[in-house]
């Protein structure tokens, strides 16, 4: 099976769950947008992560940009109605946040504003006396 890599945005808040064996896992939808203007299209991938990777990915919030590398696999199960259901999923071998093209108003903008504020506050003089 070939590896693929995707970069996209987390589609929902990630919920960390545990199997009966105690292993952590998450299934998270990732939206990958391709093209521009008239040719723009969004493709959704269901990404499965396990164990430590699942615990780390569960810290990402909806809308955050993520990079995932893994293998495509078709899962098959029987629904409650007794029908066979098949779904193609990306099983992650590696994943993490992507800081490329982070939107305005994101976490990095907030950190930047707090850093600038802290530096400016350090230069404020509390009284009218000379500092030296």
């Amino acid at each position: 099976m070939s590896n693929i890599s995707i970069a996209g945005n987390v589609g929902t808040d990630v919920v960390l769950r545990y199997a009966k064996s105690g292993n952590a896992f998450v299934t998270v939808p990732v939206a990958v947008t391709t093209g521009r203007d008239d040719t723009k299209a969004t493709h959704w991938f269901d990404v499965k992560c396990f164990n430590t990777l699942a615990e780390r990915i569960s810290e990402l919030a909806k809308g955050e940009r993520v990079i995932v590398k893994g293998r495509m696999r078709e899962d098959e199960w029987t629904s409650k109605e007794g029908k066979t259901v098949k779904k193609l999923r990306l099983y992650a071998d590696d994943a993490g946040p992507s800081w490329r093209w982070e939107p305005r108003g994101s976490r990095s903008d907030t950190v930047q504003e707090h850093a600038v504020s802290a530096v400016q506050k350090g230069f404020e003089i509390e009284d009218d006396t000379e500092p030296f």
Side-chain angles (χ1 to χ4, degrees):
M1 176 100 14
S2 296
N3 280 340
I4 68 164
S5 298
I6 63 170
N9 295 77
V10 175
T12 62
D13 287 326
V14 183
V15 177
L16 181 64
R17 300 187 304 179
Y18 292 89
K20 291 178 184 177
S21 63
N23 292 331
F25 72 96
V26 297
T27 302
V28 57
V30 176
V32 177
T33 303
T34 59
R36 291 184 176 189
D37 302 325
D38 295 341
T39 62
K40 189 179 271 191
T42 300
H43 308 280
W44 288 92
F45 291 83
D46 277 342
V47 177
K48 291 200 76 146
C49 302
F50 298 93
N51 302 319
T52 304
L53 182 58
E55 291 170 353
R56 292 186 177 150
I57 290 299
S58 70
E59 296 174 7
L60 296 176
K62 178 181 178 180
E64 285 194 68
R65 190 150 176 85
V66 65
I67 298 174
V68 181
K69 183 180 90 171
R71 317 164 246 95
M72 294 301 294
R73 189 171 107 188
E74 186 176 56
D75 288 344
E76 182 177 322
W77 67 94
T78 304
S79 70
K80 293 178 184 176
E81 294 81 29
K83 295 183 179 182
T84 300
V85 180
K86 295 181 180 183
K87 188 160 193 169
L88 197 59
R89 292 190 171 126
L90 174 57
Y91 279 74
D93 293 322
D94 196 9
S98 169
W99 290 284
R100 187 174 184 185
W101 300 315
E102 188 135 353
R104 299 263 323 138
S106 63
R107 183 171 35 191
S108 64
D109 286 342
T110 305
V111 170
Q112 177 85 11
E113 290 169 10
H114 289 303
V116 168
S117 175
V119 169
Q120 288 174 343
K121 192 172 190 172
F123 286 102
E124 290 178 3
I125 299 174
E126 294 182 16
D127 56 22
D128 291 336
T129 62
E130 290 291 321
F132 301 103

